[in-house]
Amino acid sequence: MKLLLTNIKELLQVRDTAPSMLRGSEMKELPTLKDAWLLVEDDLIVDFGKMTDLNTTSVDKTIDCTGKIVLPSWCDSHTHLVYAGNREQEFVDRINGLSYQEIAEKGGGIVNSAKKLQESSEETLYQQSAKRLEEVMLLGTGAIEIKSGYGLTTEAEMKMLRVAKKLGENYPIQIKTTFLGAHAFPTDYKNNKEGYMDLLCNEMLPKIAKNKLADYVDIFCEEGYFSVADTHRLLSEAKQYNLIPKIHVNQFTALGGIAAGVEHNALSVDHLEVLTDDDIEALKGSNTMPVALPSCSYFLSIPYTPGRKIIDAGLPLALATDYNPGSTPSGNMNFVVATACIKMRLTPEEAINAATINGAYAMGLSDTHGSITKGKKANVIITKEIPSYGYLPYAFGSNLIDSVLLNGQEL
Ligand SMILES: N=CN[C@@H](CCC(=O)O)C(=O)O
Ligand SMILES: [Zn+2]
């Protein structure tokens, strides 16, 4: 099946050879082609160029993109999309004055979601999650990472990961899975934290690895959750199963977890709303991608990750949604890109790079996703008629997507 997109007003993120990631000032550059065409064969991008150079090829279908911009689909490298029910009541509790931490201390938060998930059948969990996945695909997400972490028992963690894997089999979107059993201490282990660490290391990790349920391992390194010592222990244990770390760190406090992540060659360190100069130094010279989650800051009214400072220090930055029931009940990458520009002072070029090429890196998908490059997956967003790509973050509340191609198929 050959599909030709013609008269594209501007084709974004055009790279003959795509870099695996973009750092610092490299993020300011967004290569584009104006008045362009793009040829897709089956699930791959096979060629592109300027309309003036188009030799008519015989194709099965042509899509006229007059006035429209085409860009690679968003790469959302941090989500908790598989969850049961919602936490709307906690949202109201926060409006009425309770903090996110106070709600967690009263038995709400992650353990509240774990209770709902443990009580849900695998089928119900799949149906609820599939609905969310379908929504974000139509919002332009073409590759996504999904974490466990609302199970907190071996069986429930495995149930979450099986659901995430099944979604990847049934939908034309690349899904990477992450084992986040170390998301919170379950109520039964409140006074036996070492016991839960033992369960994670001696039972959950080996079973999850044996069943090939996860690509990555994660831990919530935070005051009141898992310590830096716990982080070292889990990440060291995970190495024997080839589970690469992607960690939750520096959301509320800087404990030294970023340096720990870098020491264990984490693929990414995520959140970073609180970031010290030592943290920035620890990231320099590493291959670890800092990931900002601006929708979480928006929803919880906590500081935004200092993205400007990170990029100005010469570091890379990726943007992701953090889609989850507690801190970010939204999987909309368009909002993430806009909020990064509005609140973190990223330029549109930096934000688009962070949400495509750098997001792909943070999922180990640099070779196949994140740019318009021959041989990469034909995953693209076709916008409505808009004046320029800067209009995407500028008109932040509008749905500017006309249509989406995933693996070369129109959704
Ligand atoms: N901070 C840790 N985990 C999630 C939120 C978990 C929840 O509140 O359910 C996050 O990344 O924001
Ligand atoms: Zn998260």
Side-chain angles (χ1 to χ4, degrees):
M1 166 81 180
K2 278 191 179 179
L3 177 65
L4 182 66
L5 275 57
T6 57
N7 299 313
I8 301 167
K9 180 178 176 128
E10 195 163 7
L11 182 61
L12 308 187
Q13 197 61 289
V14 172
R15 310 261 177 182
D16 287 335
T17 10
S20 64
M21 66 150 96
L22 299 164
R23 292 183 161 89
S25 58
E26 294 167 347
M27 292 183 68
K28 285 194 195 340
E29 302 297 324
L30 181 67
T32 74
L33 268 185
K34 289 194 171 145
D35 197 21
W37 56 270
L38 176 74
L39 182 63
V40 166
E41 190 165 351
D42 300 323
D43 60 333
L44 299 179
I45 294 170
V46 291
D47 211 353
F48 52 84
K50 301 268 280 177
M51 282 307 286
T52 44
D53 303 327
L54 175 63
N55 296 316
T56 3
T57 7
S58 80
V59 292
D60 299 291
K61 187 175 176 185
T62 301
I63 300 177
D64 179 16
C65 298
T66 300
K68 299 171 181 177
I69 285 174
V70 173
L71 67 154
S73 300
W74 306 126
C75 294
D76 188 354
S77 67
H78 181 139
T79 86
H80 310 247
L81 175 142
V82 172
Y83 61 82
N86 65 69
R87 304 227 300 271
E88 194 187 321
Q89 186 51 50
E90 292 180 11
F91 165 63
V92 176
D93 291 344
R94 280 194 300 103
I95 294 170
N96 286 325
L98 285 182
S99 72
Y100 180 75
Q101 287 95 325
E102 283 165 345
I103 289 166
E105 278 156 23
K106 280 162 51 100
I110 295 165
V111 293
N112 180 3
S113 284
K115 190 168 177 289
K116 291 186 204 298
L117 189 135
Q118 287 163 11
E119 288 163 0
S120 297
S121 71
E122 195 155 330
E123 181 55 26
T124 304
L125 190 59
Y126 179 84
Q127 293 306 337
Q128 292 185 3
S129 308
K131 217 166 146 191
R132 293 178 202 119
L133 187 66
E134 285 169 17
E135 185 190 357
V136 303
M137 285 163 63
L138 289 169
L139 287 167
T141 297
I144 195 165
E145 181 257 17
I146 302 178
K147 300 172 194 297
S148 68
Y150 291 124
L152 308 185
T153 65
T154 308
E155 190 35 52
E157 285 292 305
M158 290 177 70
K159 176 165 77 179
M160 288 187 79
L161 291 167
R162 281 195 301 269
V163 167
K165 286 263 175 201
K166 195 168 157 200
L167 290 169
E169 286 158 18
N170 294 348
Y171 286 92
I173 179 168
Q174 176 73 51
I175 293 181
K176 290 283 191 162
T177 55
T178 301
F179 169 53
L180 175 58
H183 199 190
F185 287 95
T187 319
D188 290 352
Y189 288 88
K190 221 174 162 183
N191 300 313
N192 179 18
K193 296 193 168 178
E194 278 316 296
Y196 190 60
M197 283 302 298
D198 290 343
L199 183 72
L200 284 169
C201 294
N202 303 335
E203 187 178 301
M204 292 197 199
L205 267 180
K207 278 202 177 161
I208 279 152
K210 186 166 170 247
N211 289 284
K212 297 190 172 33
L213 288 173
D215 302 296
Y216 303 111
V217 63
D218 199 340
I219 183 163
F220 187 18
C221 178
E222 184 57 61
E223 225 164 64
Y225 293 84
F226 295 84
S227 66
V228 176
D230 295 334
T231 305
H232 278 297
R233 180 176 171 198
L234 184 77
L235 302 190
S236 303
E237 288 290 335
K239 265 189 199 110
Q240 61 186 293
Y241 307 107
N242 297 320
L243 290 173
I244 301 159
K246 283 173 63 66
I247 65 173
H248 281 71
V249 69
N250 285 46
Q251 184 176 5
F252 302 107
T253 40
L255 303 173
I258 291 183
V262 169
E263 197 181 316
H264 290 275
N265 285 317
L267 183 59
S268 70
V269 284
D270 303 31
H271 270 292
L272 320 185
E273 289 87 344
V274 176
L275 198 65
T276 67
D277 290 343
D278 284 348
D279 293 324
I280 291 203
E281 285 309 308
L283 284 162
K284 285 186 182 164
S286 77
N287 290 318
T288 299
M289 177 66 68
V291 179
L293 310 164
S295 301
C296 173
S297 299
Y298 175 83
F299 189 71
L300 292 185
S301 302
I302 61 174
Y304 286 87
T305 302
R308 186 71 273 141
K309 194 171 167 187
I310 292 172
I311 295 174
D312 290 346
L315 294 170
L317 184 73
L319 291 169
T321 61
D322 198 16
Y323 196 0
N324 76 76
S327 71
T328 320
S330 160
N332 188 342
M333 279 295 285
N334 306 284
F335 180 78
V336 165
V337 167
T339 309
C341 294
I342 297 162
K343 295 293 184 184
M344 293 162 55
R345 294 181 40 241
L346 266 63
T347 63
E349 291 80 8
E350 288 170 330
I352 292 171
N353 280 324
T356 54
I357 286 196
N358 283 0
Y361 177 89
M363 290 186 276
L365 293 174
S366 303
D367 291 344
T368 49
H369 292 75
S371 64
I372 302 296
T373 302
K374 290 179 200 173
K376 280 201 178 185
K377 287 283 176 196
N379 284 3
V380 301
I381 295 169
I382 303 171
T383 70
K384 292 179 182 161
E385 292 189 27
I386 53 173
S388 63
Y389 63 76
Y391 201 79
L392 292 170
Y394 165 77
F396 71 95
S398 304
N399 182 356
L400 300 171
I401 296 181
D402 173 87
S403 55
V404 168
L405 296 187
L406 280 187
N407 289 347
Q409 294 166 33
E410 281 177 275
L411 290 195

